[in-house]
């Protein structure tokens, strides 16, 4: 433990040139007295670290000194590629590995580039969760992530959407963070399936590794599966008459793919620019909520049940606003 702390201290001083005892203590999560003892230990080991006194003082390395202890471990290198997603690293238990990797990279850079990671961090941040829901951090996510990194077969107990519990033996290929929700892409039965990590009730490594299909394309698989899922949700169809404003706004109140498909297959605009389209929707209830957002820019022609609900909503609005 102390050896790792001493190495981290050297890397910090190499990347930042000078740090006060308080700054080092905060970075290393120790007391300033421990920092002083560690500096003495480094000096005795031949590392040229010294202290400057005064307001601009602090601990420094003799100019030009560069450590060779900058080689990245496997976990650090893998975590480095995710370092732009700090919340994801925290959830998977990789925050410490990513911190060490960034520090080693900074220490290996020439002084003119040593602040590159700070510059990038001030210019780009990925906020993965959606606006209207708290982020989901499944309890078993770190265990699943470990299996993904090490290609370990898992025996799992999984709660399906209908509440039933099933047991499976999975080959955990990859984790996907979609709008704040974690999913596992796993090999099972000769194919690949998607599981919501929060629904795992138990995950146990079985003690053996699996051989990855080197031709498996995660990005392509996820894009295709996402599109299939979106299409599978759109089970009903409604017929709409849209104003020019309604055609522009349709994709912002309903599924964008379905909206684009409906507009592409719509008829010719009438003399006032209104167009009739057929739109695939999840259900009449969902369509009612979505299409209310278009207000008077949309007229529902079919089905009759939805047209009646829209007419009733329009009547209630007229009463609320005192319109006869």
């Amino acid at each position: 433990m102390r050896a790792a702390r001493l190495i981290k201290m050297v890397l910090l001083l190499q990347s930042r040139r000078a740090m006060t005892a308080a700054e080092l203590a905060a970075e290393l999560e120790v007391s300033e007295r421990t920092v002083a003892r560690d500096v003495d230990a480094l000096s005795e080991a031949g590392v040229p670290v010294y202290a400057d006194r005064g307001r601009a003082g602090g601990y420094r390395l003799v100019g030009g000194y560069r450590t060779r202890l900058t080689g990245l471990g496997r976990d650090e290198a893998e975590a480095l590629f995710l370092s732009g997603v700090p919340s994801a690293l925290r959830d998977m238990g990789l925050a410490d590995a990513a911190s060490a990797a960034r520090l080693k990279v900074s220490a290996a850079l020439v002084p003119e580039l040593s602040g590159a990671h700070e510059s990038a961090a001030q210019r780009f941040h990925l906020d993965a969760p959606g606006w209207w829901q708290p982020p989901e951090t499944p309890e078993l996510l770190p265990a699943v992530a470990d299996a993904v990194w090490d290609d370990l077969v898992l025996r799992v107990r999984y709660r399906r959407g209908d509440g039933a519990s099933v047991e499976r033996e999975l080959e955990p290929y990859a984790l996907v963070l979609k709008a704040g929700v974690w999913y596992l892409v796993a090999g099972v039965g000769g194919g690949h399936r998607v599981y919501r990590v929060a629904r795992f009730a138990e995950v146990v490594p079985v003690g053996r590794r699996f051989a990855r299909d080197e031709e498996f394309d995660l990005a392509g698989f996820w894009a295709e599966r996402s599109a299939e899922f979106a299409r599978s949700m759109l089970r009903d169809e409604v017929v709409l008459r849209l104003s020019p404003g309604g055609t522009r706004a349709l994709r912002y109140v309903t599924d964008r793919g379905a909206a684009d498909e409906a507009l592409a297959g719509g008829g010719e605009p009438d003399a006032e620019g209104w167009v009739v389209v057929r739109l695939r929707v999840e259900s009449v209830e969902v369509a009612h909520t979505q299409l209310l957002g278009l207000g008077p820019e949309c007229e529902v022609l079919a089905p009759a049940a939805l047209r009646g609900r829209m007419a009733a909503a329009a009547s209630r609005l007229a009463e609320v606003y005192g319109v006869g």
Side-chain angles (χ1 to χ4, degrees):
M1 184 69 177
R2 189 189 187 197
R5 190 174 69 242
L6 292 174
I7 291 172
K8 186 172 183 179
M9 179 182 287
V10 173
L11 294 174
L12 282 167
L13 293 174
Q14 182 172 313
S15 62
R16 302 188 190 180
R17 299 188 180 182
M19 297 181 69
T20 66
E23 290 171 339
L24 283 169
E27 286 281 356
L28 300 172
E29 299 181 349
V30 296
S31 67
E32 292 186 31
R33 181 173 297 180
T34 298
V35 168
R37 287 198 296 264
D38 286 351
V39 168
D40 290 339
L42 287 173
S43 296
E44 292 175 4
V47 177
V49 57
Y50 68 97
D52 274 339
R53 301 191 181 278
R55 293 183 60 187
Y59 292 105
R60 302 172 184 269
L61 294 172
V62 171
Y65 177 82
R66 303 196 65 77
T67 178
R68 295 182 180 276
L69 299 173
T70 53
L72 293 178
R74 177 188 170 189
D75 59 337
E76 296 167 346
E78 290 170 333
L80 185 61
F81 287 99
L82 291 171
S83 58
V85 196
S87 60
L89 286 167
R90 260 194 323 273
D91 291 349
M92 291 190 291
L94 294 173
D96 289 342
S99 175
R102 287 193 297 269
L103 187 57
K104 288 183 177 182
V105 170
S106 296
L109 293 173
V110 296
E112 292 78 7
L113 298 178
S114 60
H117 70 289
E118 295 175 355
S119 175
Q122 293 302 321
R123 288 166 172 78
F124 175 76
H125 175 70
L126 177 61
D127 184 10
W131 279 107
W132 315 120
Q133 60 185 15
E136 176 189 72
T137 306
E139 180 181 352
L140 296 176
L141 178 61
V144 175
D146 287 343
V148 170
W149 290 124
D150 293 331
D151 298 340
L152 295 175
V153 176
L154 288 177
R155 183 177 297 112
V156 306
R157 188 155 50 85
Y158 185 75
R159 296 186 299 272
R160 297 191 314 200
D162 59 8
S165 180
V166 296
E167 292 189 2
R168 294 281 188 274
E169 195 167 280
L170 305 178
E171 297 176 349
Y173 264 66
L175 284 164
V176 175
L177 179 60
K178 170 71 171 178
V181 180
W182 286 96
Y183 297 92
L184 173 69
V185 177
V188 57
H192 294 88
R193 299 183 64 179
V194 177
Y195 298 86
R196 188 163 175 162
V197 177
R199 290 183 180 170
F200 285 122
E202 184 180 21
V203 296
V204 180
V206 302
R208 70 175 187 276
R209 287 182 164 82
F210 65 93
R212 284 179 173 267
D213 178 0
E214 298 300 330
E215 296 183 359
F216 177 72
D217 175 12
L218 175 61
F221 169 84
W222 184 257
E224 181 179 343
R225 188 56 58 91
S226 298
E228 288 178 0
F229 176 77
R231 288 193 297 269
S232 71
M233 295 291 291
L234 306 177
R235 302 182 182 92
D236 288 339
E237 184 179 82
V238 299
V239 182
L240 312 175
R241 182 169 172 263
L242 298 171
S243 72
T247 60
R248 290 191 296 271
L250 182 63
R251 64 197 311 265
Y252 298 107
V253 300
T254 187
D255 179 83
R256 292 194 174 191
D260 291 342
E261 181 180 315
L263 294 173
E268 291 295 323
D270 62 18
E272 297 177 343
W274 288 63
V275 63
V276 175
V277 302
R278 292 182 173 273
L279 175 70
R280 291 187 301 122
V281 296
E282 184 175 343
S283 65
V284 168
E285 290 75 17
V286 171
H288 173 252
T289 301
Q290 293 174 335
L291 296 175
L292 282 174
L294 295 179
E297 308 304 319
C298 169
E299 178 188 0
V300 174
L301 302 180
L306 178 57
R307 182 178 175 86
R309 293 185 64 171
M310 297 294 287
S315 296
R316 291 197 301 272
L317 278 172
E319 292 175 5
V320 169
Y321 288 101
V323 179

